[in-house]
């Protein structure tokens, strides 16, 4: 959709003022503070149009408007200009110039500084590219339960309980374990998903109950968040600094999201395709009034994903600018 220059400016003003004050924005406020040459009626007409095309919505509490998710997306794609203050850059440079500590420690300190500056939770999600699968072992526990043990090159041991109801399922689990050892030993973790497509066809032709194997063996064992992904969360204490998260239900939603490994897998996958800082909005993750801004940094043996989690009303200019700046500076260090 194409907006006039005035409509673009109005949408920008409403979103950025709403980010600032966390209140619906009225035509009176806009004419008084931003567009003094226009009448409140003209502003209302333009607001009505932006509402009609689903970029704004009326607040139940007043006649003012707040942005819709579509409005935020349009703003991020067409209007947003990122910025990072010199004061924040100077604080970050103190951390980034520490040459006597590892890149992992620098990233951890950077994440702590982000949550201190923005008063928003920051998540560092790591995927180890050098980690290999080394062995699968099958241990029968009872006639209804077996244990599959997976060992990685780092010495980590991942245990998966498989519930069975008959001897054919036990045979199928044993067949899978053998195929995994034959086909996956010494495979890097980040290449497993490619190999699984081939392995599934081999398994299909080898087992009695293929659907049982897919649902109860393959999906369970190859939950990569339990193998190669590690997550650190900084700044949970700052959640209630945001008005949106003072409500107990909203606070519960964001705490559940922070603990949901599949979300970070989804964001990591989508980021891998673009390599750019990404904004993931509410309807992309299925949580109300939560947005995740994230960027990824490649280190020698892993990919570090740095994410800032906040309300949809977060300051996108500052957040995205900060993540872009950090990504550029960390990649300079690592090269």
């Amino acid at each position: 959709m194409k907006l006039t220059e005035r409509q673009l400016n109005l949408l920008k003003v409403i979103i950025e003022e709403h980010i600032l004050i966390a209140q619906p924005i009225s035509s009176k406020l806009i004419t008084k503070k931003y567009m003094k040459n226009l009448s409140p009626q003209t502003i209302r007409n333009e607001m009505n149009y932006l509402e009609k095309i689903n970029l704004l919505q009326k607040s139940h509490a007043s006649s003012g408007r707040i942005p819709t998710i579509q409005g935020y997306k349009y703003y991020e794609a067409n209007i947003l200009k990122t910025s990072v203050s010199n004061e924040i850059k100077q604080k970050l440079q103190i951390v980034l110039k520490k040459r006597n500590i590892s890149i992992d420690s620098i990233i951890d300190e950077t994440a702590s500084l982000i949550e201190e500056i923005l008063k928003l939770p920051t998540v560092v999600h790591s995927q180890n590219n050098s980690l290999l699968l080394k062995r699968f072992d099958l241990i029968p526990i009872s006639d209804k339960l077996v244990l599959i043990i997976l060992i990685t090159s780092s010495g980590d041991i991942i245990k998966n309980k498989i519930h069975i109801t008959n001897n054919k399922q036990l045979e199928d689990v044993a067949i899978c374990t053998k195929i995994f050892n034959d086909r996956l030993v010494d495979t890097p973790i980040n290449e497993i998903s490619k190999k699984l497509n081939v392995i599934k066809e081999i398994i299909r032709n080898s087992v009695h109950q293929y659907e049982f194997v897919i649902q109860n063996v393959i999906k369970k064992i190859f939950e990569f968040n339990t193998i190669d992904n590690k997550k650190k969360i900084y700044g949970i204490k700052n959640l209630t600094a945001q008005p949106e998260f003072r409500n107990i239900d909203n606070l519960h939603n964001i705490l559940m999201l922070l603990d949901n490994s599949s979300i970070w897998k989804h964001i990591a996958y989508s980021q891998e395709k673009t390599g750019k800082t990404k904004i993931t909005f509410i309807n992309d993750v299925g949580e109300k009034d939560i947005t995740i801004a994230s960027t990824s940094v490649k280190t020698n043996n892993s990919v570090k994903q740095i994410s800032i989690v906040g309300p949809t009303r977060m300051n996108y200019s500052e957040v995205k600018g900060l993540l872009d700046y950090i990504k550029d500076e960390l990649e300079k260090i690592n090269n």
Side-chain angles (χ1 to χ4, degrees), residues 288-301:
K288 186 176 181 182
D289 204 18
I290 299 172
T291 298
I292 302 171
S294 55
T295 198
S296 59
V297 180
K298 290 183 179 179
T299 65
N300 291 332
N301 61 0

Side-chain angles (χ1 to χ4, degrees), residues 29-156:
L29 183 147
I30 291 169
T31 52
K32 183 178 179 181
K33 189 173 179 180
Y34 295 101
M35 298 179 173
K36 298 178 181 179
N37 60 324
L38 297 176
S39 69
Q41 184 58 51
T42 300
I43 296 297
R44 281 194 293 273
N45 290 340
E46 294 286 31
M47 290 168 87
N48 286 337
Y49 175 75
L50 293 174
E51 185 179 350
K52 184 179 177 181
I53 60 174
N54 197 33
L55 298 182
L56 296 179
Q57 60 186 334
K58 246 182 192 174
S59 165
H60 297 299
S62 73
S63 59
R65 305 301 199 284
I66 59 175
T68 62
I69 295 300
Q70 195 61 36
Y72 280 116
K73 287 187 174 184
Y74 189 92
Y75 169 80
E76 196 253 332
N78 300 283
I79 301 172
L80 177 65
K81 294 186 185 304
T82 59
S83 64
V84 185
S85 71
N86 288 331
E87 181 185 357
I88 291 175
K89 285 181 180 179
Q90 287 169 5
K91 287 181 178 180
L92 283 166
Q93 282 300 327
I94 293 171
V95 175
L96 294 166
K97 286 182 177 176
K98 291 184 177 181
R99 295 293 188 262
N100 59 329
I101 62 175
S102 69
I103 186 70
D104 287 356
S105 296
I106 289 174
I107 290 172
D108 287 341
E109 288 194 29
T110 299
S112 294
L113 186 57
I114 292 172
E115 62 90 2
E116 181 185 316
I117 291 167
L118 297 180
K119 305 300 181 191
L120 292 171
T122 302
V123 178
V124 176
H125 181 258
S126 305
Q127 180 170 309
N128 189 337
N129 289 337
S130 64
L131 199 65
L132 306 177
L133 294 182
K134 296 302 293 183
R135 183 175 175 80
F136 294 86
D137 284 321
L138 173 63
I139 302 174
I141 303 297
S142 70
D143 58 351
K144 294 189 181 298
L145 185 68
V146 295
L147 193 67
I148 292 186
I149 295 176
L150 187 159
I151 302 171
T152 72
S153 57
S154 65
D156 289 333

Side-chain angles (χ1 to χ4, degrees), residues 89 92-93 96-97 99 103 106 110 297 322-335:
K89 285 181 180 179
L92 283 166
Q93 282 300 327
L96 294 166
K97 286 182 177 176
R99 295 293 188 262
I103 186 70
I106 289 174
T110 299
V297 180
L322 186 57
L323 287 175
D324 282 341
Y325 179 76
I326 288 168
K327 177 181 174 68
D328 289 345
E329 293 299 308
L330 286 172
E331 289 185 344
K332 285 179 192 173
I333 293 170
N334 202 48
N335 287 336

